[in-house]
Amino acid sequence: MRKFLVFLVFLLILLAVADRGLHSAAQSEIAKRVGAQYEMSSEPEVAIGGFPFLTQAVGGTYSEISIVTGAMVVNDVQLERVDMTARDVHAPLSALMSEPSAVAESADARVMLPYSELQQRLPEGIVIETEDGEPRMAGDLSMGGFSTPVSAGLDISAEGETVTLSPRDVQIGEAGLDLGDQVAQRLTATVTIPRLPFGLQIKGIEALPNGVEVTAEATDVQLVGGGAQG
């Protein structure tokens, strides 16, 4: 009986080691495939959720896989980060290691767009900076041949794939100048967000101190195989 218990413990240890080894190998393989598929400069971070891994691998369905990318360029637009959670992912282990294919039934993501991308759409001399934790537009604006210091809060909204930047509480340096409407018009800009990776669709947007965060969702997401989804 004692020998049997020792053997059982030894077997459980082997299974645990195998579980973690295959878990790490699968994460690495998905990261490599996704990085190549979207031509990323560095592989994304991939974490397969759920325990034990072996039961999911045998069944070919994973409850949750998270993918976090570094900076990537999509249709000439710089994205700072894509943080996505894919759920109910169908990916047989044999397919991952040979003919790779991984499809998620659904996914939600947060996509960070740096202010440097939006700033390019504003007039020359205007920058987006953070003041007391809030993003603001400020700088010297050319008006009628004169340079006028201006600043304004920043409101942001999205409709479809179009993001609109609008000034709020416009402040003009020279007292007595009635240029509020003109300045507001000059400081309003629109940006067309490119088709996001993984077929993600924009659901919301928020201006944060370090950039614009887009929330997005998708269904039937081809994580690996089938070419880049945009």
Side-chain angles (χ1 to χ4, degrees), residues 8-20:
L8 184 60
V9 170
F10 179 70
L11 182 61
L12 290 174
I13 292 173
L14 285 180
L15 286 173
V17 170
D19 185 274
R20 292 301 86 191

Side-chain angles (χ1 to χ4, degrees), residues 105-188:
E105 292 186 11
S106 65
D108 55 73
R110 298 189 304 276
V111 181
M112 184 62 73
L113 186 69
Y115 282 125
S116 57
E117 279 294 327
L118 306 180
Q119 190 172 293
Q120 298 176 22
R121 277 74 176 179
L122 295 173
E124 185 177 356
I126 301 298
V127 299
I128 299 176
E129 55 189 15
T130 301
E131 183 178 307
D132 297 328
E134 296 290 334
R136 292 186 63 83
M137 295 181 279
D140 293 325
L141 184 63
S142 178
M143 300 285 294
F146 296 94
S147 183
T148 304
V150 300
S151 68
L154 187 153
D155 285 334
I156 191 162
S157 61
E159 184 174 346
E161 296 180 345
T162 301
V163 174
T164 301
L165 284 73
S166 305
R168 169 175 36 85
D169 300 328
V170 176
Q171 299 178 14
I172 303 173
E174 295 294 333
L177 292 178
D178 186 18
L179 301 173
D181 291 342
Q182 295 181 51
V183 170
Q185 187 175 9
R186 293 282 304 280
L187 295 182
T188 300

Side-chain angles (χ1 to χ4, degrees), residues 30 48-65 86-94 96 101-106:
I30 292 174
I48 299 175
F51 184 85
F53 171 77
L54 282 174
T55 58
Q56 297 186 92
V58 171
T61 300
Y62 304 84
S63 59
E64 185 174 293
I65 297 179
R87 296 181 173 84
D88 298 319
V89 182
H90 303 287
L93 186 60
S94 59
L96 281 179
S101 176
V103 180
E105 292 186 11
S106 65

